[in-house]
Amino acid sequence: MSVLHLRGIGLPDAAPIELWIVDGRITFEPVAGAETIVDAGWITPGLVDAHCHVGIRFGGGGGETVDGLIAQAQTERDAGVLLLRDAGSPVDTRFVDERADLPRIVRAGQHIAAPKRYIPGLPVDLDDESQLPAEVVRQARAGDGWVKLVGDWIDRSVGDLAPLWSDKILVEAIAAAHAEGAKVTAHVFAEDALPGLINAGIDCIEHGTGLTDETIEMMVAHGTALVPTLINIATFPGIADSATRYPIYAAHMRDLHSRRHRTIGAAHEAGIPIYAGTDAGGSILHGRIADEVAELQIAGMSSHDALGAACWDARTWLGGSGLVEGAPADLVVFDEDPRGNTAVLAKPAHVVLRGNVIAR
């Protein structure tokens, strides 16, 4: 592996930076004879998609083929996304860890749901909620420090979104995950499932379109994080249009969509830590982190903080590293300041993964 040299403006500090890459790691000690690959540009740590699915077949649900899921990971990599939090996959992707040319994946195991209360082919379905603590332990041991619950979904017997779990079993299940050293997150669209999940000590909420002033205050008090997946929420009107048999559910989905930016903006204003996730996989194509960052800005985050939610802040949250001495050389270079410019953010000039130049 050759020694590489980069010079430019580093983020998040927006200050001049000069670094070298030796044996796949960053150093700020000059190295003679290094190949200069960047002499001017904006340099960031590798981008992050904090909610995606590597291994879900696009457009149809169910598991993806090996070739298909590799293509998904490559698409993220080429967009500069070098750290992925996989928020539930029905297939084993651990072989990706052996591929030096693919992003690092932090896995949440498989979704946990109840029969007919989530997308067919994706979750582990529990016949009785008493099984939840044991299944949470199993998924904690199968994942990389995360477990994913389906917190709510349409209940066809009532014709609307409804919680899957009792408050009591959530307390037991989340405590079981924490005893394993794992964090728990949950898919939640609507309002009713949130208080039980937050009070039970859940670590993160996915989507969060049903947040209210009360549950926002609860999340602040508990230190609960939020990954809004706003480009996925944009699909709600189409979902509502297809739900002609369930008019209450359809109206609910349209209402959640109509106030999505106000809801996430209120969460941000209250101080809830927010991270960028696209929900890529299934109905959302991979490689769209720039679009999610733009949506966070519409919701009220500054251009700097919105990019941080998909970069330096998200990396810290997931245990990744930034542009520091000795860190793995996972970084992205842009020709211009990528903050507030979706077109620039979507087209990196250079992607360096584990010290290897992927795109120049």
Side-chain angles (χ1 to χ4, degrees):
M1 183 181 297
S2 61
V3 178
L4 304 178
H5 171 236
L6 299 86
R7 182 189 296 114
I9 303 297
L11 289 172
D13 297 332
I17 189 172
E18 188 170 11
L19 61 87
W20 288 258
I21 299 173
V22 181
D23 294 331
R25 294 190 175 271
I26 293 170
T27 182
F28 297 98
E29 295 293 329
V31 180
E35 176 192 1
T36 299
I37 62 169
V38 175
D39 196 43
W42 291 75
I43 305 172
T44 75
L47 302 180
V48 178
D49 191 331
H51 180 136
C52 67
H53 305 278
V54 177
I56 292 179
R57 187 172 65 253
F58 178 74
E64 181 56 279
T65 64
V66 168
D67 288 345
L69 70 87
I70 288 174
Q72 292 173 354
Q74 289 172 331
T75 297
E76 296 290 358
R77 178 202 66 196
D78 294 346
V81 180
L82 307 182
L83 178 59
L84 310 172
R85 185 179 65 139
D86 190 308
S89 176
V91 300
D92 184 0
T93 61
R94 289 202 173 274
F95 73 92
V96 171
D97 295 344
E98 307 302 319
R99 293 278 300 261
D101 62 328
L102 296 178
R104 178 189 170 200
I105 301 177
V106 176
R107 299 167 183 81
Q110 195 168 355
H111 299 78
I112 307 175
K116 298 182 180 179
R117 294 297 303 280
Y118 196 54
I119 301 168
L122 297 188
V124 174
D125 289 331
L126 305 183
D127 294 325
D128 191 280
E129 73 165 26
S130 63
Q131 301 169 311
L132 184 60
E135 184 58 34
V136 160
V137 169
R138 193 173 79 85
Q139 294 301 328
R141 293 174 180 175
D144 298 314
W146 283 91
V147 175
K148 174 73 175 292
L149 306 180
V150 178
D152 68 6
W153 196 251
I154 186 171
D155 183 338
R156 289 167 177 80
S157 67
V158 299
D160 198 5
L161 293 161
L164 272 70
W165 319 104
S166 70
D167 293 354
K168 180 178 182 296
I169 203 65
L170 286 171
V171 171
E172 294 180 28
I174 292 171
H178 289 168
E180 292 289 324
K183 297 179 179 180
V184 184
T185 193
H187 162 109
V188 191
F189 281 162
E191 299 84 355
D192 293 346
L194 287 164
L197 289 162
I198 299 166
N199 281 327
I202 199 161
D203 301 280
C204 184
I205 296 295
E206 311 296 318
H207 317 302
T209 41
L211 284 167
T212 63
D213 290 345
E214 180 183 5
T215 48
I216 285 172
E217 289 181 6
M218 291 170 63
M219 287 183 69
V220 172
H222 284 81
T224 316
L226 174 64
V227 182
T229 70
L230 284 164
I231 64 170
N232 179 46
I233 306 312
T235 68
F236 278 18
I239 295 171
D241 289 346
S242 67
T244 54
R245 294 176 55 195
Y246 304 100
I248 296 174
Y249 165 73
H252 197 175
M253 293 292 280
R254 291 189 180 98
D255 178 59
L256 293 170
H257 173 265
S258 70
R259 52 189 167 94
R260 66 197 186 283
H261 292 123
R262 296 194 304 273
T263 300
I264 304 311
H268 172 61
E269 284 294 320
I272 292 173
I274 293 176
Y275 304 103
T278 63
D279 209 357
S283 63
I284 304 293
L285 288 170
H286 282 268
R288 292 189 58 193
I289 195 64
D291 295 328
E292 185 66 22
V293 170
E295 284 288 303
L296 292 176
Q297 292 177 63
I298 295 171
M301 295 181 74
S302 70
S303 59
H304 184 90
D305 289 346
L307 181 53
C311 193
W312 48 87
D313 291 332
R315 292 185 72 86
T316 298
W317 183 54
L318 294 175
S321 55
L323 302 179
V324 297
E325 182 71 33
D330 295 344
L331 54 88
V332 188
V333 182
F334 301 91
D335 289 332
E336 303 173 38
D337 187 349
R339 297 172 298 178
N341 191 327
T342 303
V344 171
L345 184 60
K347 294 184 178 180
H350 306 267
V351 175
V352 180
L353 175 61
R354 299 179 180 90
N356 294 305
V357 179
I358 301 299
R360 291 179 67 174

